[in-house]
């Protein structure tokens, strides 16, 4: 099992530290450094900067938002980043959510599965450098009746095949991800509930005559280092409450639905009710300790090593760490603890 690091969003006051974290991860042998985007910093610019400041570590988008770019532009960006990084780019995609898609990008959040499938199909065509033509429900290239003609990507990526990942939570999206992607970007993944994610992924792989062999299972997992497990978990409460309670709308919150599938129906209701009422402290307090403990790495190096073994046993191939804390020292400590724990578990 390999390790990754997720820098999250740029512009949260830790920007200078982010480069130091990425460089330390590079030095420690981490496999990949991911950056995210929502409606602040874009991931492409951040990744180009990280790639310029590192030597070996891959850089990946977790995620490029599908409503933010046309598929052809995403192919151009992926090819450019792969070229500039010397073949170190990983393309992660996701549909975002209805509030961001419609409120920020002005793109209707409808038929996300069909849109994703078509988006990936166009990207694959463009990056293969064949002349691009497509007739679908969401995109038609070239536009009919006009001066447009099928064009070919002029950039030659370093690799013939750039790894493509999809962030997925719901069963149908997971199944499609197994069918059309090279890897999966997960969140709030608990080894004890691995079947919730892996069974649909396996079903999707089976549709195309494949198994999970060679398919990168890459969840992002929060990490809090310390002797006091409860205190370490408490650091994660606001993060969990934000996603379970405040991401998306009351009717469409994919993280809330995931918590329900994991058996936390009552807690999911309470967290969301309090968060949407802007009782953020109450929402954080309502997050069950067991939910945090099962979806994060908490405690000492020895305890984290045990949990890493559980993730490896569940089939995870790249474990991406999201360190708790805002100081550089806390984040570097988490990075180094991750490596120590991986070695202690015999997984390095």
């Amino acid at each position: 099992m390999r390790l990754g690091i997720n820098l999250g969003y740029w512009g949260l006051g830790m920007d200078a530290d982010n480069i130091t974290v990425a460089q330390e991860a590079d030095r420690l042998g981490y496999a990949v450094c991911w950056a995210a985007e929502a409606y602040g910093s874009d991931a492409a610019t951040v990744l180009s900067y990280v790639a310029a400041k590192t030597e070996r570590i891959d850089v990946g988008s977790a995620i490029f938002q599908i409503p933010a770019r046309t598929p052809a532009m995403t192919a151009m960006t992926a090819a450019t980043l792969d070229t500039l990084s010397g073949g170190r780019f990983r393309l992660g995609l996701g549909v975002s959510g209805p509030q961001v898609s419609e409120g920020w990008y002005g793109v209707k959040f409808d038929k996300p599965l069909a849109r994703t499938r078509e988006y990936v199909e166009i990207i694959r065509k463009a990056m293969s450098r064949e002349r691009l033509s497509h007739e679908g429900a969401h995109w038609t290239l070239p536009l009919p009746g006009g001066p447009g003609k099928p064009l070919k990507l002029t950039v030659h990526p370093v690799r013939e095949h750039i790894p493509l990942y999809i962030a997925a939570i719901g069963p149908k999206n997971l199944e499609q991800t197994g069918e059309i992607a090279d890897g999966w970007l997960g969140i709030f993944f608990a080894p004890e509930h691995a079947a919730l994610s892996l069974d649909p992924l396996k079903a999707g792989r089976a549709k195309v005559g494949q198994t999970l062999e060679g398919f990168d299972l890459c969840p992002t997992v929060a990490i809090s280092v310390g002797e006091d497990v409860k205190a370490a978990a408490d650091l994660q409460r606001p993060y969990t409450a934000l996603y379970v309670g405040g991401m998306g709308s009351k009717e469409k919150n994919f993280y809330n639905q995931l918590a329900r599938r994991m058996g936390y129906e009552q807690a999911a209701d309470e967290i969301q009710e309090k968060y949407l009422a802007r009782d953020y402290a109450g929402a954080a307090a309502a997050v069950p300790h067991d939910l945090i403990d099962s979806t994060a790495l908490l405690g000492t190096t020895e305890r984290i090593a045990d949990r890493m073994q559980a993730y490896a046993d569940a089939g995870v191939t790249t474990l991406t760490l999201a360190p708790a804390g805002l100081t550089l020292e806390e984040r570097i400590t988490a990075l180094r603890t991750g490596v120590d724990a991986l070695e202690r578990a015999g997984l390095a």
Side-chain angles (χ1 to χ4, degrees), residues 167-190:
I169 297 175
K172 292 181 180 179
N173 197 359
L174 284 162
E175 183 173 331
Q176 178 171 275
T177 297
E179 188 180 351
I180 67 174
D182 303 307
W184 167 63
L185 299 175
I187 189 171
F188 296 116
F189 178 81

Side-chain angles (χ1 to χ4, degrees), residues 115-245:
R115 185 181 294 272
T116 300
R117 180 181 289 273
E118 201 171 321
Y119 199 89
V120 169
E121 183 179 340
I122 296 171
I123 288 172
R124 299 271 201 210
K125 285 182 181 178
M127 290 199 300
S128 71
R129 301 193 68 249
E130 65 178 89
R131 293 200 175 273
L132 186 57
S133 60
H134 179 86
E135 292 186 15
H138 300 281
W139 290 276
T140 300
L141 301 168
L143 286 175
K149 63 180 182 179
L151 299 174
K152 182 170 68 174
L153 183 70
T154 60
V155 175
H156 291 255
V158 174
R159 294 165 297 170
E160 290 185 4
H161 184 85
I162 295 174
L164 190 149
Y165 295 69
I166 294 175
I169 297 175
K172 292 181 180 179
N173 197 359
L174 284 162
E175 183 173 331
Q176 178 171 275
T177 297
E179 188 180 351
I180 67 174
D182 303 307
W184 167 63
L185 299 175
I187 189 171
F188 296 116
F189 178 81
E192 296 76 12
H193 298 282
L196 290 175
S197 301
L198 300 194
D199 284 355
L201 286 167
K202 289 176 184 176
R205 299 297 289 163
K207 281 186 174 181
V208 291
Q210 300 289 332
T211 67
L212 289 179
E213 183 71 28
F215 186 85
D216 196 10
L217 298 172
C218 184
T220 290
V221 179
I223 178 171
S224 297
V225 181
E227 295 289 334
D228 187 336
V229 174
K230 183 180 181 302
D234 287 345
L235 290 174
Q236 302 295 341
R237 288 187 175 279
Y239 172 81
T240 306
L242 166 64
Y243 279 82
V244 175

Side-chain angles (χ1 to χ4, degrees), residues 44 59 61 64 71-91 123-129 152-163:
V59 292
S61 55
F64 282 167
M73 172 53 79
T74 296
M76 291 167 60
T77 303
T80 305
L81 280 167
D82 197 56
T83 302
L84 291 176
S85 66
R88 292 188 284 143
F89 179 62
R90 304 188 191 187
L91 174 59
I123 288 172
R124 299 271 201 210
K125 285 182 181 178
M127 290 199 300
S128 71
R129 301 193 68 249
K152 182 170 68 174
L153 183 70
T154 60
V155 175
H156 291 255
V158 174
R159 294 165 297 170
E160 290 185 4
H161 184 85
I162 295 174

